[in-house]
PDB file of all heavy atoms in Angstrom:
ATOM      1  N   GLY A 174      14.728  -0.556  -7.826  1.00 98.00           N
ATOM      2  CA  GLY A 174      16.149  -0.096  -7.807  1.00 98.00           C
ATOM      3  C   GLY A 174      16.366   1.116  -6.936  1.00 98.00           C
ATOM      4  O   GLY A 174      17.262   1.907  -7.191  1.00 98.00           O
ATOM      5  N   MET A 175      15.526   1.280  -5.880  1.00 98.00           N
ATOM      6  CA  MET A 175      15.634   2.426  -5.009  1.00 98.00           C
ATOM      7  C   MET A 175      16.537   2.141  -3.786  1.00 98.00           C
ATOM      8  O   MET A 175      16.816   0.974  -3.478  1.00 98.00           O
ATOM      9  CB  MET A 175      14.260   2.842  -4.467  1.00 98.00           C
ATOM     10  CG  MET A 175      13.342   3.319  -5.537  1.00 98.00           C
ATOM     11  SD  MET A 175      11.563   3.248  -5.001  1.00 98.00           S
ATOM     12  CE  MET A 175      11.613   4.465  -3.679  1.00 98.00           C
ATOM     13  N   GLN A 176      16.941   3.225  -3.097  1.00 98.00           N
ATOM     14  CA  GLN A 176      17.560   3.047  -1.767  1.00 98.00           C
ATOM     15  C   GLN A 176      16.501   3.249  -0.741  1.00 98.00           C
ATOM     16  O   GLN A 176      15.847   4.280  -0.700  1.00 98.00           O
ATOM     17  CB  GLN A 176      18.616   4.160  -1.551  1.00 98.00           C
ATOM     18  CG  GLN A 176      19.880   4.058  -2.362  1.00 98.00           C
ATOM     19  CD  GLN A 176      20.822   5.210  -2.046  1.00 98.00           C
ATOM     20  OE1 GLN A 176      20.866   5.715  -0.902  1.00 98.00           O
ATOM     21  NE2 GLN A 176      21.522   5.702  -3.018  1.00 98.00           N
ATOM     22  N   LEU A 177      16.290   2.241   0.074  1.00 98.00           N
ATOM     23  CA  LEU A 177      15.316   2.361   1.164  1.00 98.00           C
ATOM     24  C   LEU A 177      16.025   2.099   2.502  1.00 98.00           C
ATOM     25  O   LEU A 177      16.642   1.026   2.671  1.00 98.00           O
ATOM     26  CB  LEU A 177      14.156   1.348   0.965  1.00 98.00           C
ATOM     27  CG  LEU A 177      13.205   1.224   2.164  1.00 98.00           C
ATOM     28  CD1 LEU A 177      12.452   2.532   2.429  1.00 98.00           C
ATOM     29  CD2 LEU A 177      12.138   0.150   1.924  1.00 98.00           C
ATOM     30  N   VAL A 178      15.963   3.144   3.345  1.00 98.00           N
ATOM     31  CA  VAL A 178      16.487   2.918   4.714  1.00 98.00           C
ATOM     32  C   VAL A 178      15.293   2.962   5.665  1.00 98.00           C
ATOM     33  O   VAL A 178      14.510   3.963   5.604  1.00 98.00           O
ATOM     34  CB  VAL A 178      17.431   4.096   5.081  1.00 98.00           C
ATOM     35  CG1 VAL A 178      17.998   3.860   6.487  1.00 98.00           C
ATOM     36  CG2 VAL A 178      18.561   4.191   4.051  1.00 98.00           C
ATOM     37  N   ALA A 179      15.090   1.896   6.417  1.00 98.00           N
ATOM     38  CA  ALA A 179      13.996   1.843   7.374  1.00 98.00           C
ATOM     39  C   ALA A 179      14.579   2.008   8.782  1.00 98.00           C
ATOM     40  O   ALA A 179      15.402   1.191   9.201  1.00 98.00           O
ATOM     41  CB  ALA A 179      13.260   0.540   7.245  1.00 98.00           C
ATOM     42  N   ALA A 180      14.193   3.092   9.414  1.00 99.00           N
ATOM     43  CA  ALA A 180      14.609   3.343  10.821  1.00 99.00           C
ATOM     44  C   ALA A 180      13.495   2.891  11.736  1.00 99.00           C
ATOM     45  O   ALA A 180      12.400   3.501  11.761  1.00 99.00           O
ATOM     46  CB  ALA A 180      14.940   4.791  11.047  1.00 99.00           C
ATOM     47  N   VAL A 181      13.735   1.754  12.406  1.00 98.00           N
ATOM     48  CA  VAL A 181      12.687   1.062  13.136  1.00 98.00           C
ATOM     49  C   VAL A 181      13.249   0.691  14.534  1.00 98.00           C
ATOM     50  O   VAL A 181      14.352   0.175  14.615  1.00 98.00           O
ATOM     51  CB  VAL A 181      12.241  -0.216  12.381  1.00 98.00           C
ATOM     52  CG1 VAL A 181      11.223  -0.999  13.171  1.00 98.00           C
ATOM     53  CG2 VAL A 181      11.752   0.112  11.000  1.00 98.00           C
ATOM     54  N   PRO A 182      12.494   0.940  15.607  1.00 98.00           N
ATOM     55  CA  PRO A 182      13.007   0.544  16.916  1.00 98.00           C
ATOM     56  C   PRO A 182      13.016  -0.946  17.138  1.00 98.00           C
ATOM     57  O   PRO A 182      12.284  -1.667  16.499  1.00 98.00           O
ATOM     58  CB  PRO A 182      12.025   1.249  17.908  1.00 98.00           C
ATOM     59  CG  PRO A 182      10.774   1.394  17.175  1.00 98.00           C
ATOM     60  CD  PRO A 182      11.171   1.587  15.733  1.00 98.00           C
ATOM     61  N   ASP A 183      13.882  -1.349  18.071  1.00 97.00           N
ATOM     62  CA  ASP A 183      14.008  -2.759  18.421  1.00 97.00           C
ATOM     63  C   ASP A 183      12.634  -3.249  18.891  1.00 97.00           C
ATOM     64  O   ASP A 183      11.926  -2.578  19.574  1.00 97.00           O
ATOM     65  CB  ASP A 183      15.059  -2.922  19.517  1.00 97.00           C
ATOM     66  CG  ASP A 183      15.644  -4.264  19.550  1.00 97.00           C
ATOM     67  OD1 ASP A 183      15.597  -4.969  18.513  1.00 97.00           O
ATOM     68  OD2 ASP A 183      16.162  -4.694  20.615  1.00 97.00           O
ATOM     69  N   GLY A 184      12.255  -4.478  18.480  1.00 98.00           N
ATOM     70  CA  GLY A 184      10.977  -5.016  18.899  1.00 98.00           C
ATOM     71  C   GLY A 184       9.880  -4.757  17.879  1.00 98.00           C
ATOM     72  O   GLY A 184       8.793  -5.328  18.029  1.00 98.00           O
ATOM     73  N   TYR A 185      10.131  -3.893  16.889  1.00 98.00           N
ATOM     74  CA  TYR A 185       9.117  -3.526  15.940  1.00 98.00           C
ATOM     75  C   TYR A 185       9.631  -3.672  14.535  1.00 98.00           C
ATOM     76  O   TYR A 185       9.188  -3.009  13.591  1.00 98.00           O
ATOM     77  CB  TYR A 185       8.594  -2.093  16.204  1.00 98.00           C
ATOM     78  CG  TYR A 185       7.939  -2.019  17.574  1.00 98.00           C
ATOM     79  CD1 TYR A 185       8.701  -1.714  18.704  1.00 98.00           C
ATOM     80  CD2 TYR A 185       6.596  -2.271  17.688  1.00 98.00           C
ATOM     81  CE1 TYR A 185       8.075  -1.652  19.969  1.00 98.00           C
ATOM     82  CE2 TYR A 185       5.985  -2.238  18.970  1.00 98.00           C
ATOM     83  CZ  TYR A 185       6.731  -1.895  20.087  1.00 98.00           C
ATOM     84  OH  TYR A 185       6.171  -1.903  21.283  1.00 98.00           O
ATOM     85  N   LYS A 186      10.642  -4.516  14.338  1.00 98.00           N
ATOM     86  CA  LYS A 186      11.307  -4.649  13.044  1.00 98.00           C
ATOM     87  C   LYS A 186      10.349  -5.351  12.044  1.00 98.00           C
ATOM     88  O   LYS A 186       9.507  -6.097  12.434  1.00 98.00           O
ATOM     89  CB  LYS A 186      12.552  -5.586  13.157  1.00 98.00           C
ATOM     90  CG  LYS A 186      13.566  -5.071  14.168  1.00 98.00           C
ATOM     91  CD  LYS A 186      14.391  -4.003  13.606  1.00 98.00           C
ATOM     92  CE  LYS A 186      15.539  -3.622  14.569  1.00 98.00           C
ATOM     93  NZ  LYS A 186      15.720  -2.173  14.615  1.00 98.00           N
ATOM     94  N   PRO A 187      10.551  -5.095  10.766  1.00 98.00           N
ATOM     95  CA  PRO A 187       9.813  -5.864   9.738  1.00 98.00           C
ATOM     96  C   PRO A 187      10.208  -7.308   9.824  1.00 98.00           C
ATOM     97  O   PRO A 187      11.307  -7.645  10.348  1.00 98.00           O
ATOM     98  CB  PRO A 187      10.247  -5.213   8.426  1.00 98.00           C
ATOM     99  CG  PRO A 187      11.533  -4.511   8.743  1.00 98.00           C
ATOM    100  CD  PRO A 187      11.511  -4.119  10.193  1.00 98.00           C
ATOM    101  N   LEU A 188       9.414  -8.179   9.226  1.00 98.00           N
ATOM    102  CA  LEU A 188       9.730  -9.613   9.247  1.00 98.00           C
ATOM    103  C   LEU A 188      11.060  -9.890   8.541  1.00 98.00           C
ATOM    104  O   LEU A 188      11.273  -9.401   7.438  1.00 98.00           O
ATOM    105  CB  LEU A 188       8.627 -10.432   8.566  1.00 98.00           C
ATOM    106  CG  LEU A 188       7.300 -10.489   9.313  1.00 98.00           C
ATOM    107  CD1 LEU A 188       6.231 -11.110   8.440  1.00 98.00           C
ATOM    108  CD2 LEU A 188       7.442 -11.270  10.615  1.00 98.00           C
ATOM    109  N   PRO A 189      11.925 -10.696   9.141  1.00 98.00           N
ATOM    110  CA  PRO A 189      13.267 -10.942   8.566  1.00 98.00           C
ATOM    111  C   PRO A 189      13.164 -11.493   7.145  1.00 98.00           C
ATOM    112  O   PRO A 189      13.957 -11.210   6.265  1.00 98.00           O
ATOM    113  CB  PRO A 189      13.887 -11.972   9.468  1.00 98.00           C
ATOM    114  CG  PRO A 189      13.088 -11.995  10.721  1.00 98.00           C
ATOM    115  CD  PRO A 189      11.735 -11.369  10.462  1.00 98.00           C
ATOM    116  N   GLU A 190      12.122 -12.358   6.873  1.00 98.00           N
ATOM    117  CA  GLU A 190      12.036 -12.920   5.512  1.00 98.00           C
ATOM    118  C   GLU A 190      11.666 -11.865   4.460  1.00 98.00           C
ATOM    119  O   GLU A 190      12.101 -12.017   3.323  1.00 98.00           O
ATOM    120  CB  GLU A 190      11.040 -14.079   5.530  1.00 98.00           C
ATOM    121  CG  GLU A 190       9.607 -13.839   5.885  1.00 98.00           C
ATOM    122  CD  GLU A 190       9.315 -14.051   7.312  1.00 98.00           C
ATOM    123  OE1 GLU A 190      10.232 -13.858   8.210  1.00 98.00           O
ATOM    124  OE2 GLU A 190       8.163 -14.436   7.657  1.00 98.00           O
ATOM    125  N   VAL A 191      10.981 -10.829   4.899  1.00 98.00           N
ATOM    126  CA  VAL A 191      10.659  -9.751   3.937  1.00 98.00           C
ATOM    127  C   VAL A 191      11.938  -8.980   3.610  1.00 98.00           C
ATOM    128  O   VAL A 191      12.225  -8.634   2.468  1.00 98.00           O
ATOM    129  CB  VAL A 191       9.524  -8.799   4.521  1.00 98.00           C
ATOM    130  CG1 VAL A 191       9.309  -7.688   3.563  1.00 98.00           C
ATOM    131  CG2 VAL A 191       8.261  -9.627   4.758  1.00 98.00           C
ATOM    132  N   VAL A 192      12.699  -8.689   4.664  1.00 98.00           N
ATOM    133  CA  VAL A 192      13.952  -7.939   4.477  1.00 98.00           C
ATOM    134  C   VAL A 192      14.915  -8.759   3.603  1.00 98.00           C
ATOM    135  O   VAL A 192      15.506  -8.274   2.681  1.00 98.00           O
ATOM    136  CB  VAL A 192      14.623  -7.657   5.850  1.00 98.00           C
ATOM    137  CG1 VAL A 192      15.933  -6.864   5.672  1.00 98.00           C
ATOM    138  CG2 VAL A 192      13.700  -6.839   6.745  1.00 98.00           C
ATOM    139  N   ALA A 193      14.995 -10.066   3.896  1.00 98.00           N
ATOM    140  CA  ALA A 193      15.914 -10.957   3.143  1.00 98.00           C
ATOM    141  C   ALA A 193      15.455 -11.005   1.643  1.00 98.00           C
ATOM    142  O   ALA A 193      16.324 -10.943   0.790  1.00 98.00           O
ATOM    143  CB  ALA A 193      15.891 -12.339   3.744  1.00 98.00           C
ATOM    144  N   TRP A 194      14.156 -11.140   1.413  1.00 98.00           N
ATOM    145  CA  TRP A 194      13.681 -11.169   0.055  1.00 98.00           C
ATOM    146  C   TRP A 194      14.075  -9.857  -0.702  1.00 98.00           C
ATOM    147  O   TRP A 194      14.591  -9.892  -1.807  1.00 98.00           O
ATOM    148  CB  TRP A 194      12.153 -11.336  -0.041  1.00 98.00           C
ATOM    149  CG  TRP A 194      11.668 -11.417  -1.452  1.00 98.00           C
ATOM    150  CD1 TRP A 194      11.531 -12.560  -2.198  1.00 98.00           C
ATOM    151  CD2 TRP A 194      11.360 -10.312  -2.318  1.00 98.00           C
ATOM    152  NE1 TRP A 194      11.127 -12.220  -3.474  1.00 98.00           N
ATOM    153  CE2 TRP A 194      11.027 -10.872  -3.570  1.00 98.00           C
ATOM    154  CE3 TRP A 194      11.328  -8.952  -2.163  1.00 98.00           C
ATOM    155  CZ2 TRP A 194      10.635 -10.059  -4.698  1.00 98.00           C
ATOM    156  CZ3 TRP A 194      10.971  -8.120  -3.256  1.00 98.00           C
ATOM    157  CH2 TRP A 194      10.611  -8.703  -4.464  1.00 98.00           C
ATOM    158  N   ALA A 195      13.840  -8.722  -0.007  1.00 98.00           N
ATOM    159  CA  ALA A 195      14.119  -7.444  -0.622  1.00 98.00           C
ATOM    160  C   ALA A 195      15.614  -7.297  -0.935  1.00 98.00           C
ATOM    161  O   ALA A 195      16.020  -6.752  -1.970  1.00 98.00           O
ATOM    162  CB  ALA A 195      13.595  -6.303   0.215  1.00 98.00           C
ATOM    163  N   GLN A 196      16.400  -7.733   0.025  1.00 98.00           N
ATOM    164  CA  GLN A 196      17.859  -7.585  -0.172  1.00 98.00           C
ATOM    165  C   GLN A 196      18.388  -8.499  -1.287  1.00 98.00           C
ATOM    166  O   GLN A 196      19.286  -8.119  -1.990  1.00 98.00           O
ATOM    167  CB  GLN A 196      18.639  -7.818   1.146  1.00 98.00           C
ATOM    168  CG  GLN A 196      18.363  -6.650   2.102  1.00 98.00           C
ATOM    169  CD  GLN A 196      18.971  -6.757   3.463  1.00 98.00           C
ATOM    170  OE1 GLN A 196      19.233  -7.907   3.928  1.00 98.00           O
ATOM    171  NE2 GLN A 196      19.217  -5.639   4.144  1.00 98.00           N
TER     172      GLN A 196
END
Side-chain angles (χ1 to χ4, degrees):
M175 295 164 62
Q176 289 179 34
L177 171 62
V178 182
V181 178
D183 204 23
Y185 297 90
K186 303 281 186 222
L188 289 172
E190 61 266 31
V191 176
V192 180
W194 182 91
Q196 288 178 336

